């Protein structure tokens, strides 16, 4: 193919220039694009090249083979690197060594680990020793290479290498790797090679080109490993994105005391404070800092003091290089206009930049950084609002430990990801997943975590590790997921076999409840009470900006006073769905409700309704009082009657006594009411059609409550009365007449005018199709997208779990349509109903009140079709406020182009 011959598969970088750029992430992956960008900025980046994600796509589309001209392009790029460094790959006298690094568009744990020092073999290691004048360094590098390559490319299990190293240290009575001599490392290298040969049945590859292509192939191969697949599934990353491979000249942080390696954030990733935050190790390489083998040291003196560390800071040990790094920090922040997460290495006093990317941060830090950057004039308010991931706000809305609560602190670790969590202790990711599926709150406890644990971390409320720092895998992943995390609680002794953890003579078993506080690092026995979060400061500032931007209103689904109060505190601008049946389930009224349902005639029903009405009125008085004049949409009785029916003999007897009839009659009536398919049965407005006195009672309670609230507080309530499960205008007309009549009666009796609206749910396909007609009678529509999804797909939500995963695996459905609105199908009905409804009644009020009202991507859809408001559960109100603002901004951008 002609186009193939001209495709560039390889992009070079280094020496102050690059063929790629930061905005080429799709092609070069995040790591490759930013290495190119840093090179272009003139920052010290070791020379290298990126093999594009298109090669990965090609590889899987062509039976795991490469484009024909890839080899030539790689060889040419490698020759450029050789020229830049001044040494040659595989040269026995002066070998060029490289790292091979994976890098997808989005940073993706689960991909192949980096292989360092590639290009070493029994000969080149001698050349490296001679050239560097440091034999110990050369063999330290070689043993690292054999272990990394052996493990990640050849698939030889870690523990083979770890055991050899442990034995070597024990034999020599050594605890630190840094105490190993050159001879020690040479012996380890021999043993490593033997272990590889033994495990594989062939020797460790000595041909450097075989090594290179082996590593490249392993990166592409890792795109389809189980860890990567799981991660992509959890994060909605499509498989066809592919990964890039970065091959880069090595620089050495392990060449002596004037060498170091480290990782840093340009601002504090936990709090967002504008201070340099990072960790480093002298005479170390690669992942030593995050692996927890040695205790990492702080970058700055301030960091060291804040963490009460007595190990010297980089600022003290290498002040000049630190100053350079600090300058790079400012440069990168100004350039990317956001907080960066950087990786660097110092070789003999010279700084090299190895990575930069937008830094993961807690939700609190994200808010502070966005608000601060706006104040610094770096970003606009709109941009600040756009940068906060709406669902991340969840982290801020959840409880923290009650400071007055009794607590038994048993250990302390690092405050790695904020929030407090209690749960049963488990020791494996699988256990965490299975217990949480059974509805248990769990705390996942591991010595340290790895990408294999992601599913368990996701399932757990909190994560506790005994090893690793603030930048350890557990800490980084937990912050990203919004899980509470205490990392590196070193006093805890975990015994995986015995399923226990010991600390100061106390033994905690799997299944015991513990509490962790990811904001302080404390680990506590038992469940500690929590309190609600403070919603002021940066949160209030940013939400205020969002409120100033968004067009749609945000209401809440609430019926209890507690939910209503919570939602108002979170900024709800009304109630979009008050489900009256929830008020019926209270123990003090369920008997009267059952009596009403089981009554054989209208007289019996009216007698029972008379008992319910005063209680229902009190509910509305309280709710209207809390909502202080904000709109309240009340849905009249909706559920299938079977949900209220008594199940036990005892309950039947109770109902019989209350109604003054005998128990067999009650049983008989209950049998009569049994339905084969209650979700499509006698429910919604069909109840009102059969038993108008029920809706009459509810309407009366609503109107009388409105009058009472006005009389007592002067607050004017405009109730919006909503009829559920309407399929035709006639249903609505009949029931609206009942409501209007009651309104007239209450106004007459009270001498007060009451403004109210009568509208309908649009939750049946027929209602959407007939929306033009229905709007002639309905003053508002509220899209009940839960039922509309069920009835459009013909899928019962309660039964979907058994096949939805298959549907997602086959790509029939990308998302669970009950979580994220199916915009093509269900959305089409919404669009249709909106336009037909508006045609009849231009000012028909439009809202949504299904689960989807709190889902950011569904909210974007609601903005696009022009709904007036979304309504969601109280805890999602701030998320919806922000998502609605972002939807407005997205719409404006589309409008401008
Ligand atoms: P990850 O995606 O897991 O962060 P990286 O590819 O960034 O993996 O590699 C991890 C670490 O390996 C880097 O932070 C750096 O310390 C080290 N490393 C990678 N490439 C080089 C290199 N060319 N020279 C020296 N160290 C390197
Ligand atoms: Mg890694
Ligand atoms: Mg990295």
């Amino acid at each position: 193919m002609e186009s193939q011959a001209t495709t560039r598969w390889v992009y070079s970088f280094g020496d102050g220039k690059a063929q790629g750029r930061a905005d080429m992430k799709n092609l070069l992956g995040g790591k490759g694009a930013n290495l190119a960008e840093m090179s272009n900025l003139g920052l010290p980046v070791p020379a290298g090249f990126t093999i594009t994600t298109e090669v990965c796509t090609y590889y899987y589309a062509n039976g795991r083979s490469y484009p024909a001209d890839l080899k030539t392009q790689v060889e040419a790029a490698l020759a450029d690197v050789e020229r830049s460094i001044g040494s040659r790959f595989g040269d026995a006298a002066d070998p060029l060594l490289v790292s091979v690094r994976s890098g997808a568009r989005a940073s993706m744990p689960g991909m192949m680990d980096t292989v360092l020092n590639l290009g070493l073999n029994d000969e080149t290691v001698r050349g490296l020793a001679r050239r560097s004048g440091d034999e110990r360094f050369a063999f330290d590098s070689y043993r690292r290479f054999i272990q990394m390559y052996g493990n990640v490319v050849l698939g030889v299990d870690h523990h083979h290498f770890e055991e050899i190293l442990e034995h070597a240290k024990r034999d020599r009575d050594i605890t630190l790797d840094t105490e190993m001599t050159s001879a020690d490392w040479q012996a380890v290298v021999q043993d490593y090679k033997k272990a590889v040969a033994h495990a594989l049945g062939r020797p460790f590859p000595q041909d450097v080109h075989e090594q290179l292509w082996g590593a490249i192939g392993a990166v592409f191969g890792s795109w389809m490993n189980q860890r990567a697949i799981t991660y992509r599934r959890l994060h909605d990353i499509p498989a066809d994105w592919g990964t890039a491979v970065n091959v880069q000249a090595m620089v050495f942080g392990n060449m002596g005391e004037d060498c170091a390696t480290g990782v840093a954030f340009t601002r504090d990733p936990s709090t967002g404070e504008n201070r340099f935050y990072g960790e480093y190790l002298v005479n170390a390489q690669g992942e030593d800092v995050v692996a927890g083998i040695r205790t990492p040291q702080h970058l700055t003196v301030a960091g060291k003091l804040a963490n009460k560390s007595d190990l010297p800071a980089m600022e003290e040990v290498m002040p000049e290089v630190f100053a350079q790094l600090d300058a790079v920090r400012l440069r990168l922040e100004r350039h990317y206009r956001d907080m960066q997460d950087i990786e660097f290495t110092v070789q003999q006093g010279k700084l090299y930049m190895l990575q930069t990317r937008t830094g993961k941060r807690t939700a609190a830090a994200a808010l502070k950084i966005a608000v601060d950057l706006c104040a610094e004039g770096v970003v606009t308010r709109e941009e600040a609002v756009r940068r906060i991931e709406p669902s991340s706000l969840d982290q801020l809305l959840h409880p923290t430990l009650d400071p007055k609560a009794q607590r038994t602190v048993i250990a302390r670790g690092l405050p790695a990801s904020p929030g407090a969590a209690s749960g049963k202790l488990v020791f494996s990711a699988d256990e965490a997943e299975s217990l949480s599926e059974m509805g248990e709150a769990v705390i996942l406890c591991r010595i340290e975590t790895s990408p294999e644990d992601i599913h368990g971390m996701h399932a757990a409320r909190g994560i506790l590790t005994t090893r690793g720092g603030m930048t350890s895998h557990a800490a980084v992943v937990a912050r990203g997921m919004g899980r509470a995390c205490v990392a590196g609680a070193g006093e805890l002794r975990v015994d995986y076999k015995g399923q226990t953890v010991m600390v100061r003579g106390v033994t905690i078993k799997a299944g015991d409840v513990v509490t962790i506080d990811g904001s302080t690092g404390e680990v506590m026995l038992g469940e500690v009470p929590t309190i609600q979060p403070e919603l002021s400061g940066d949160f209030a500032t940013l939400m205020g900006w969002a409120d100033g931007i968004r067009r749609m209103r945000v209401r809440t689904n609430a019926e209890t006073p507690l939910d209503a109060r919570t939602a108002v505190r979170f900024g709800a601008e009304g109630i979009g769905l008050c489900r009256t049946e929830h008020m019926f389930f209270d123990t003090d009224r369920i008997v009267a409700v059952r009596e009403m349902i089981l009554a054989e005639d209208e007289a019996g029903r009216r007698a029972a309704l008379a008992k319910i009405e005063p209680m229902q009125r009190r509910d509305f008085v309280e709710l209207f009082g809390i909502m202080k004049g904000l709109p309240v949409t009340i849905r009249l009785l909706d559920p299938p009657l079977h949900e209220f029916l008594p199940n036990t003999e005892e309950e039947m007897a109770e109902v019989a006594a209350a109604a003054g009839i005998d128990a067999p009659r009650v049983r008989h009536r209950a049998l009569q009411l049994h339905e084969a398919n209650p979700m499509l049965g006698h429910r919604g407005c069909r109840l009102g059609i059969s038993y108008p006195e029920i809706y009459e009672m509810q309407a009366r309670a609503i109107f009388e409550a409105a009058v009472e609230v006005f009389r007592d507080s002067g607050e004017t309530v405009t109730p919006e009365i909503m009829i559920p499960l309407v399929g035709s205008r006639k249903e609505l007309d009949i029931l609206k007449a009942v409501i209007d009549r009651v309104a007239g009666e209450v106004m007459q009796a009270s001498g007060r005018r009451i403004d109210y609206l009568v509208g309908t749910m649009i939750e049946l396909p027929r209602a959407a199709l007939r929306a033009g007609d229905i709007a002639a009678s309905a003053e508002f529509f509220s899209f009940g997208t839960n039922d509309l999804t069920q009835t459009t797909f013909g899928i019962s939500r309660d039964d979907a779990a058994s096949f939805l995963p298959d549907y997602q695996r086959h790509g029939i459905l990308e998302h669970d349509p009950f979580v994220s609105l199916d915009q093509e199908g269900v959305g089409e009905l919404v669009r249709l109903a909106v336009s037909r409804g508006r045609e009849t009644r231009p000012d028909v009020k439009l809202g949504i009140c299904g689960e989807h009202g709190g889902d950011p991507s569904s909210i974007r859809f609601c903005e696009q079709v022009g709904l007036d408001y979304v309504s969601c559960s109280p805890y999602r109100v701030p998320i919806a406020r922000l998502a609605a603002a972002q939807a407005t901004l997205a719409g404006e951008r589309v409008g401008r182009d």
Side-chain angles (χ1 to χ4, degrees):
M1 279 183 293
E2 203 188 342
S3 71
Q4 202 180 299
T6 56
T7 306
R8 181 191 286 287
W9 305 109
V10 176
Y11 286 69
S12 294
F13 57 81
D15 292 331
K17 60 185 190 317
Q19 293 169 327
R21 286 186 319 268
D23 61 8
M24 292 166 71
K25 288 197 180 63
N26 294 357
L27 186 64
L28 304 180
K31 202 179 284 169
N34 285 328
L35 284 169
E37 188 81 1
M38 285 199 293
S39 301
N40 284 328
L41 284 175
L43 295 177
V45 176
F49 56 88
T50 304
I51 304 174
T52 69
T53 57
E54 284 177 354
V55 175
C56 187
T57 312
Y58 182 102
Y59 182 76
Y60 283 106
N62 294 277
R64 301 197 180 220
S65 67
Y66 297 122
D69 47 351
L70 179 67
K71 194 151 186 274
T72 336
Q73 292 190 22
V74 166
E75 276 164 8
L78 189 60
D80 285 344
V81 177
E82 288 175 334
R83 258 190 300 282
S84 161
I85 305 297
S87 56
R88 293 208 353 267
F89 191 55
D91 183 344
D94 183 12
L96 167 70
L97 302 190
V98 297
S99 65
V100 177
R101 319 168 65 185
S102 60
R105 277 189 216 187
S107 142
M108 222 185 84
M111 292 301 302
M112 191 196 85
D113 285 333
T114 296
V115 175
L116 302 179
N117 311 316
L118 190 142
L120 281 176
N121 58 27
D122 295 347
E123 282 182 30
T124 55
V125 70
R126 302 257 163 231
L128 183 67
R130 266 193 308 276
R131 279 285 304 174
S132 64
D134 187 345
E135 189 181 59
R136 180 192 178 282
F137 149 73
F139 280 93
D140 175 38
S141 302
Y142 195 22
R143 65 95 191 178
R144 288 172 186 269
F145 173 54
I146 297 172
Q147 164 156 13
M148 278 190 248
Y149 195 92
N151 180 246
V152 307
V153 179
L154 303 175
V156 179
D157 205 279
H158 262 303
H159 78 261
H160 290 298
F161 301 109
E162 269 149 25
E163 262 164 32
I164 291 168
L165 182 54
E166 280 304 308
H167 279 145
K169 289 204 268 186
R170 202 175 314 142
D171 290 349
R172 292 160 180 81
D173 208 10
I174 280 176
T175 53
L176 292 176
D177 292 359
T178 41
E179 295 169 278
M180 295 281 280
T181 64
S182 176
D184 294 339
W185 285 134
Q186 293 189 44
V188 167
V189 161
Q190 289 311 323
D191 289 346
Y192 275 9
K193 286 198 300 186
K194 266 188 228 141
V196 171
H198 182 74
L200 294 180
R202 62 191 150 86
F204 186 84
Q206 293 287 314
D207 178 339
V208 295
H209 292 280
E210 180 189 340
Q211 292 174 357
L212 179 61
W213 286 99
I216 293 170
V219 173
F220 288 137
S222 73
W223 182 250
M224 287 295 172
N225 73 25
Q226 202 48 50
R227 271 156 46 177
I229 291 171
T230 301
Y231 187 86
R232 285 201 292 274
R233 183 168 51 74
L234 290 175
H235 293 262
D236 277 335
I237 296 175
D240 60 15
W241 279 9
T243 181
V245 183
N246 299 288
V247 178
Q248 187 179 27
M250 281 300 299
V251 286
F252 301 98
N254 58 331
M255 264 184 152
E257 296 301 305
D258 56 353
C259 301
T261 185
V263 294
F265 292 90
T266 56
R267 297 185 189 215
D268 188 316
S270 286
T271 64
E273 274 170 276
N274 187 4
R275 55 191 183 93
F276 205 7
Y277 186 90
E279 293 168 338
Y280 81 109
L281 279 177
V282 167
N283 199 5
Q285 197 182 41
E287 316 254 31
D288 291 359
V289 175
V290 293
I293 295 163
R294 281 160 63 192
T295 308
Q297 298 166 230
H298 286 271
L299 230 48
T300 62
V301 173
K304 164 183 131 171
L305 294 176
N307 289 278
K308 304 193 176 67
S309 161
D310 28 67
L311 300 167
M314 184 177 177
E315 195 176 356
E316 301 165 293
V317 178
M318 331 181 147
E320 273 163 38
V321 187
F322 174 81
Q324 281 174 39
L325 185 64
D326 201 31
V328 169
R329 164 203 178 208
L330 296 177
R331 181 91 196 275
L332 285 174
E333 267 215 354
R334 225 170 304 134
H335 182 74
Y336 285 96
R337 302 189 311 126
D338 202 356
M339 185 266 263
Q340 298 292 298
D341 169 354
I342 59 182
E343 299 175 8
F344 63 90
T345 282
V346 178
Q347 176 178 321
Q348 296 176 317
K350 175 158 173 37
L351 174 70
Y352 290 95
M353 298 307 299
L354 293 172
Q355 191 168 339
T356 189
R357 61 184 157 193
T358 304
K360 285 216 167 63
R361 59 203 80 180
T362 62
L367 281 176
K368 179 160 179 52
I369 291 169
V371 170
D372 285 355
L373 286 177
C374 188
E376 291 162 29
V378 179
V379 300
T380 62
R381 280 186 182 188
E382 285 74 19
E383 213 168 339
V385 164
R386 223 182 268 135
R387 277 191 182 178
I388 308 296
E389 169 61 36
S391 51
S392 75
L393 294 180
D394 212 24
Q395 293 180 39
L396 303 174
L397 309 176
H398 284 287
T400 50
L401 289 183
D402 180 352
K404 293 192 288 287
Q406 275 279 6
R407 54 181 96 174
T408 319
V409 176
I410 47 166
R412 228 171 277 269
L414 298 169
S417 179
S422 301
K424 292 188 172 171
L425 203 65
V426 297
F427 295 101
S428 79
D430 289 343
E431 189 79 352
E433 194 175 55
S434 60
L435 267 187
S436 103
E437 272 167 8
M438 288 158 51
E440 298 275 4
V442 301
I443 302 292
L444 174 61
C445 177
R446 302 283 302 163
I447 294 172
E448 56 198 333
T449 64
S450 74
E452 276 112 73
D453 298 321
I454 298 262
H455 62 292
M457 299 172 76
H458 201 256
R461 293 281 171 89
I463 296 142
L464 172 61
T465 68
T466 59
R467 236 181 2 220
M470 293 294 283
T471 46
S472 65
H473 179 264
V476 171
V477 173
R479 283 198 294 272
M481 288 181 175
R483 296 292 180 279
C485 177
V486 172
E491 301 159 282
L492 297 177
R493 288 274 160 274
V494 176
D495 173 4
Y496 287 138
K497 270 214 198 77
Q499 291 280 291
T500 59
V501 52
M502 288 234 305
V503 57
R504 298 185 211 147
V506 184
T507 302
I508 312 162
K509 298 187 294 296
D512 289 351
V513 174
V514 296
T515 299
I516 60 169
D517 185 345
S519 310
T520 61
E522 286 172 342
V523 182
M524 291 145 281
L525 273 186
E527 185 173 339
V528 180
T530 50
I531 49 163
Q532 296 305 318
E534 192 60 61
L535 301 173
S536 52
D538 297 319
F539 178 84
T541 304
L542 194 109
M543 292 309 287
W545 295 346
D547 290 345
I549 291 166
R550 73 185 152 88
R551 182 192 60 81
M552 287 192 292
R553 300 256 152 199
V554 175
R555 298 196 192 179
T556 189
N557 301 347
E559 40 277 327
T560 67
L562 176 66
D563 277 356
R565 277 198 200 93
T566 305
V568 168
R569 214 161 41 86
F570 286 156
E573 298 165 296
I575 289 179
L577 176 65
C578 165
R579 308 175 184 88
T580 48
E581 62 271 14
H582 284 223
M583 301 165 159
F584 282 21
F585 283 112
D586 261 28
T587 45
D588 58 338
R589 38 188 106 163
I590 186 70
V591 175
V593 171
R594 286 173 175 161
E595 186 187 334
M596 182 264 293
I597 287 165
L598 296 168
E600 292 185 36
D601 53 20
E602 187 183 331
R605 272 189 298 278
R606 286 197 181 272
L609 285 165
K611 297 181 196 170
I612 303 169
E613 193 194 316
M615 303 191 253
Q616 182 104 90
R617 191 189 324 122
R618 276 202 305 277
D619 292 333
F620 294 130
V621 167
E622 189 166 12
L623 210 55
F624 294 158
I626 294 167
M627 298 312 291
K628 293 204 170 60
L630 294 171
V632 178
T633 306
I634 298 153
R635 181 178 71 188
L636 301 187
L637 194 64
D638 177 48
L641 292 182
H642 83 106
E643 289 189 12
F644 298 107
L645 291 181
N647 298 310
T648 65
E649 287 297 321
E650 206 181 1
E651 288 169 332
M652 303 244 191
E654 209 179 341
V655 175
I661 49 174
D662 60 7
R665 290 269 294 277
V666 171
R667 206 172 308 126
H668 173 72
R669 180 80 181 126
L671 273 175
Q672 268 183 340
L673 290 174
H674 177 79
E675 291 179 307
N677 196 347
M679 288 314 291
L680 299 175
H682 203 174
R683 55 167 292 214
C685 67
R686 298 160 197 169
L687 293 170
I689 298 291
S690 304
Y691 315 125
E693 53 281 2
I694 299 179
Y695 281 12
E696 188 185 315
M697 176 283 285
Q698 294 197 289
R700 191 175 303 280
I702 293 166
F703 293 130
E704 289 180 354
V707 170
E708 190 176 324
V709 167
F710 178 79
R711 199 187 52 220
D712 295 347
S713 68
E715 212 71 75
T716 307
V717 182
T718 308
E720 301 177 355
I721 298 177
M722 181 155 79
I723 313 290
L725 216 73
V726 162
S728 72
R729 178 179 170 192
K730 196 79 191 159
E731 290 167 317
L732 186 58
D733 284 342
I734 293 171
L735 297 169
K736 187 169 181 326
V738 173
I739 294 163
D740 288 341
R741 176 171 53 79
V742 174
E745 288 166 12
V746 175
M747 287 195 259
Q748 181 110 55
S750 66
R752 263 211 54 81
R753 193 189 131 86
I754 307 164
D755 290 318
Y756 64 97
L757 303 177
V758 178
T760 180
M761 303 275 288
I762 301 286
E763 53 188 334
L764 293 176
R766 192 177 197 285
L769 295 168
R770 300 298 301 151
D773 195 29
I774 291 171
S777 301
E779 294 171 290
F780 64 86
F781 287 170
S782 179
F783 290 94
T785 47
N786 296 346
D787 266 317
L788 191 58
T789 299
Q790 297 203 84
T791 52
T792 301
F793 276 95
I795 289 177
S796 132
R797 170 148 77 154
D798 302 322
D799 303 314
S802 58
F803 57 86
L804 267 190
D806 297 338
Y807 267 56
Q808 283 174 276
R809 210 176 35 248
H810 281 98
I812 303 170
L813 287 173
E814 204 175 321
H815 305 284
D816 178 345
F818 293 104
V819 174
S820 197
L821 191 78
D822 158 48
Q823 301 186 6
E824 292 179 346
V826 179
E828 184 63 15
L829 283 171
V830 173
R831 260 186 234 111
L832 193 88
V834 166
S835 83
R836 293 190 179 172
R838 282 219 171 108
E839 217 165 279
T840 306
R841 186 190 290 266
D843 65 343
V844 62
K845 217 186 219 192
L846 302 169
I848 182 177
C849 63
E851 291 308 291
H852 304 104
D855 168 60
S857 83
S858 310
I859 290 172
R860 207 172 318 126
F861 170 81
C862 294
E863 172 70 27
Q864 283 160 8
V865 299
L867 299 193
D868 298 304
Y869 69 86
V870 298
S871 187
C872 57
S873 61
Y875 271 93
R876 298 204 73 87
V877 165
I879 295 169
R881 285 162 69 197
L882 182 55
Q886 293 182 352
T888 303
L889 290 173
E892 279 172 5
R893 251 187 312 177
V894 171
R896 252 188 269 133
D897 302 336

